[in-house]
Amino acid sequence: MRSHINSSAPLAHEVLAAVLQVRSATLRVLLWRRALDPHVGRWSLPGGRLRPDEDVETSIRRQLAEKVDVRQLKHVEQLAVFSAPDRVPGPRVVATAFLGLVPSDVDPEIPEDTRWHEVDALPRTAFDHREIIIGARDRLRAKLSYTNVGFALAPREFTVSALRELYSAALGYKVSATNLQRVLSRRGLLAPTGHTAPPGRSGGRPAALFSFTGNGIQVTDPFAVFRPPPKRSRK
Amino acid sequence: MRSHINSSAPLAHEVLAAVLQVRSATLRVLLWRRALDPHVGRWSLPGGRLRPDEDVETSIRRQLAEKVDVRQLKHVEQLAVFSAPDRVPGPRVVATAFLGLVPSDVDPEIPEDTRWHEVDALPRTAFDHREIIIGARDRLRAKLSYTNVGFALAPREFTVSALRELYSAALGYKVSATNLQRVLSRRGLLAPTGHTAPPGRSGGRPAALFSFTGNGIQVTDPFAVFRPPPKRSRK
DNA sequence: CCAAAAGTGTTAATTGTACACCCATGC
DNA sequence: GCATGGGTGTACAATTAACACTTTTGG
């Protein structure tokens, strides 16, 4: 009763990922069309059953490897557990949902039954997958403002205006290139590469190319208020 | 293979909660001492097996009802899934971890084998429970600065200095009562009740009593930067 | 009247926003 | 040279942190 470990009831556990990418100034998600019985023909998130010898992150990375080259996945993080008893027909399946991010310049080979869909114009989706996608979008939006996740949406080198397009598409409203550059620079996230991008056929000054400093996600603005007392090191 | 539902492998799923409360200017967590074989005698988080007919939040609330009156739990939220194959001895058990918050003025009846422990001075804990507790603490700390979760740590009515103690204990450093009141007031979270608390035996001006406005958690400072353009409604 | 605790006002510093202006290129 | 984007400088606004000062109580 108070036993900690009790595996008497079989219980299926699946992992699902909302893989997001910005392309053509829109935020899109990778979906595949179900070929099997429950909700045939609807679009659903890639994923599948958790194997007994892997943890959930290993599992989702393994399963995504069928759809997207894993090395192209710049960021993966847990979103939440979805466990409503009726979330899928038949016996209950608990799902651990993930957010995955792919840089805008990669164009992964995707299987026949798989397609990118605009997050703000989703087709009919299977089960509770729409909710998961919206959750992923909202998590991304929130984290863009206080972490450096933006790096996972951008190519290795990029112009500030390209970055502005990425942020605008992900956030859903235009951000100013001026201030984007200023804020990211102040936080020490942008490194000039010294290279420049040639202007388009209509002219214009060549844009400087930047890259993100560091690798991996980090929180860059942890406390909006109630900050801990400063360490008194920098003037 | 690509089958969405496949429950061939039995898989145990448990729910665990780090229930936090501030008392005597310290943040503490509710733990019970294991009576059974793996890790006997170590302190572990309350929780237990997920039943097939309940979702994870229903489950953790049900199981906590044995330890803490559910009505005293002012806030419950999912933390993360812990799924390392070797996180517990024997067959793998996937755990969904929760953060729970109890106001500082309630003193729940707790069972014999259960005790509060200071989060910053934890005893030897079972399995990966220490990691879960630290995760819960960090989540609380982060959310204190950009949401109104503070309400879940505070009594219904409180003085600003009592609130200051709560925030200081949870965050791990002193916050100023002056600025705490100012920030929360600006965000419209504090409502004066009109009542006052009598001063202590050493004198001092009587403190005004406040309550939190609204109920339930809400994000009060969603964007640190890259805010959407204002609606141009308020001057 | 003095100490103690609460509450208010003022100021400084930081950070984000808006906007004007200059720069480099294609045609 | 002019249109077109890119980049910088400056001013402004909002918010937080720091601290001095006033208020109200007990002894």
Side-chain angles (χ1 to χ4, degrees):
Chain A
M1 164 154 303
R2 190 174 271 171
S3 168
H4 189 72
I5 298 171
N6 182 337
S7 53
S8 61
L11 201 163
H13 194 119
E14 64 177 357
V15 290
L16 298 171
V19 178
L20 304 183
Q21 184 190 37
V22 174
R23 178 61 60 89
S24 309
T26 58
L27 184 67
R28 62 188 199 171
V29 60
L30 191 66
L31 299 179
W32 63 276
R33 190 190 280 271
R34 284 185 60 76
L36 293 180
D37 185 10
H39 292 190
V40 196
R42 295 206 196 172
W43 293 92
S44 67
L45 293 170
R49 242 194 67 247
L50 176 67
R51 290 185 184 163
D53 60 339
E54 59 189 4
D55 64 30
V56 285
E57 180 161 338
T58 304
S59 183
I60 192 62
R61 285 184 180 274
R62 172 179 62 78
Q63 310 211 35
L64 285 178
E66 305 170 10
K67 315 281 181 187
V68 189
D69 184 346
V70 181
R71 288 161 302 186
Q72 298 171 331
L73 263 179
K74 276 284 180 26
H75 178 66
V76 171
E77 77 175 54
Q78 263 192 45
L79 277 178
V81 172
F82 291 78
S83 61
D86 61 348
R87 64 172 289 274
V88 298
R92 192 258 297 278
V93 179
V94 174
T96 299
F98 282 83
L99 162 67
L101 298 177
V102 174
S104 64
D105 61 331
V106 312
D107 217 332
E109 286 279 317
I110 57 176
E112 175 69 27
D113 56 353
T114 304
R115 272 190 49 197
W116 293 98
H117 289 270
E118 189 172 345
V119 168
D120 289 323
L122 288 178
R124 187 174 179 76
T125 54
F127 314 124
D128 50 5
H129 293 194
R130 180 192 184 82
E131 185 186 349
I132 296 176
I133 298 165
I134 299 305
R137 181 198 65 184
D138 293 347
R139 173 76 65 90
L140 171 63
R141 287 182 174 174
K143 286 209 165 179
L144 278 176
S145 78
Y146 68 91
T147 71
N148 64 346
V149 255
F151 85 91
L153 294 175
R156 206 177 56 78
E157 291 200 350
F158 49 83
T159 65
V160 171
S161 53
L163 196 62
R164 185 187 82 99
E165 288 230 328
L166 293 180
Y167 272 77
S168 298
L171 290 171
Y173 53 82
K174 294 277 179 239
V175 302
S176 133
T178 300
N179 299 326
L180 180 63
Q181 179 176 10
R182 208 176 316 250
V183 169
L184 296 183
S185 296
R186 235 197 309 249
R187 292 182 177 176
L189 300 181
L190 285 186
T193 64
H195 309 151
T196 56
R201 55 208 158 288
S202 58
R205 174 173 172 174
L209 287 168
F210 293 84
S211 63
F212 273 98
T213 62
N215 17 0
I217 189 175
Q218 54 190 26
V219 174
T220 57
D221 188 18
F223 294 91
V225 287
F226 311 141
R227 297 183 181 83
K231 290 289 169 287
R232 296 295 177 198
S233 53
R234 53 180 180 182
K235 184 204 62 186
Chain B
M1 163 155 308
R2 190 173 269 170
S3 168
H4 190 73
I5 297 172
N6 181 337
S7 53
S8 61
L11 202 164
H13 194 121
E14 64 177 355
V15 290
L16 298 171
V19 178
L20 304 183
Q21 184 189 38
V22 175
R23 178 62 59 90
S24 308
T26 59
L27 184 67
R28 61 188 199 172
V29 59
L30 191 65
L31 298 177
W32 65 275
R33 189 189 281 269
R34 284 185 59 78
L36 294 179
D37 185 11
H39 291 192
V40 196
R42 295 206 196 171
W43 293 92
S44 67
L45 292 170
R49 244 196 63 247
L50 176 66
R51 290 184 184 165
D53 60 339
E54 60 188 4
D55 64 31
V56 285
E57 179 159 341
T58 304
S59 183
I60 193 63
R61 286 184 180 274
R62 172 180 61 78
Q63 309 209 38
L64 285 179
E66 304 168 9
K67 315 281 182 186
V68 188
D69 183 347
V70 181
R71 289 162 301 187
Q72 297 172 331
L73 263 178
K74 274 283 179 27
H75 178 65
V76 172
E77 79 177 50
Q78 262 191 46
L79 277 178
V81 172
F82 291 78
S83 61
D86 61 347
R87 62 172 290 273
V88 299
R92 192 256 298 276
V93 178
V94 173
T96 299
F98 283 83
L99 161 67
L101 298 178
V102 174
S104 63
D105 62 330
V106 312
D107 217 333
E109 288 277 319
I110 58 176
E112 175 68 28
D113 56 354
T114 303
R115 270 191 51 199
W116 293 99
H117 289 270
E118 188 172 346
V119 168
D120 289 323
L122 288 177
R124 186 173 179 78
T125 53
F127 315 123
D128 50 5
H129 292 195
R130 180 190 183 84
E131 185 185 350
I132 297 176
I133 297 165
I134 299 305
R137 181 198 65 183
D138 293 346
R139 174 75 65 92
L140 171 63
R141 286 182 175 175
K143 285 209 165 180
L144 278 176
S145 78
Y146 68 93
T147 71
N148 64 348
V149 255
F151 84 91
L153 293 175
R156 208 177 55 76
E157 291 199 351
F158 49 84
T159 65
V160 171
S161 53
L163 196 63
R164 185 186 83 99
E165 288 231 328
L166 293 180
Y167 273 76
S168 299
L171 290 172
Y173 53 82
K174 294 277 180 241
V175 303
S176 131
T178 301
N179 298 328
L180 181 63
Q181 177 175 12
R182 209 171 320 242
V183 169
L184 297 182
S185 295
R186 216 190 337 242
R187 294 183 176 174
L189 300 182
L190 285 187
T193 63
H195 310 152
T196 57
R201 54 210 160 289
S202 59
R205 175 171 170 174
L209 287 168
F210 293 84
S211 63
F212 273 99
T213 62
N215 17 1
I217 189 176
Q218 55 190 23
V219 174
T220 57
D221 189 18
F223 294 91
V225 285
F226 311 140
R227 298 183 181 84
K231 292 289 170 288
R232 296 293 177 199
S233 54
R234 53 179 180 181
K235 185 203 62 183

